[in-house]
Amino acid sequence: PGLVTALSVSVGAKAAKGDKLVTLEAMKMQTTIYAPCDGVVGEIAAHIGDAVESKDLLLKLREA
């Protein structure tokens, strides 16, 4: 479990493989989620301050 501390993209933003998408904090350790492939952000399901669990949907990428 962790807390969303930063969103580096917005809906409609283009993301290239390896771009930073979301930063999470858990037990004073930060984890950054990077884009696994090229795409466009279609939906953001988690917002800054949200508590998230393993396998929760954070955002959706669609093909560019």
Side-chain angles (χ1 to χ4, degrees):
L3 188 70
V4 177
T5 58
L7 291 170
S8 301
V9 293
S10 59
V11 174
K14 291 184 181 180
K17 182 177 181 176
D19 284 354
K20 182 170 33 171
L21 301 174
V22 180
T23 303
L24 305 173
E25 183 177 314
M27 297 173 31
K28 298 188 181 183
M29 293 176 53
Q30 289 189 340
T31 301
T32 303
I33 308 297
Y34 298 97
C37 59
D38 294 344
V40 175
V41 178
E43 176 186 347
I44 297 178
H47 302 284
I48 294 174
D50 286 355
V52 294
E53 298 285 331
S54 177
K55 299 187 181 185
D56 281 355
L57 177 67
L58 302 177
L59 57 84
K60 289 183 180 181
L61 282 179
R62 57 182 169 84
E63 290 185 29

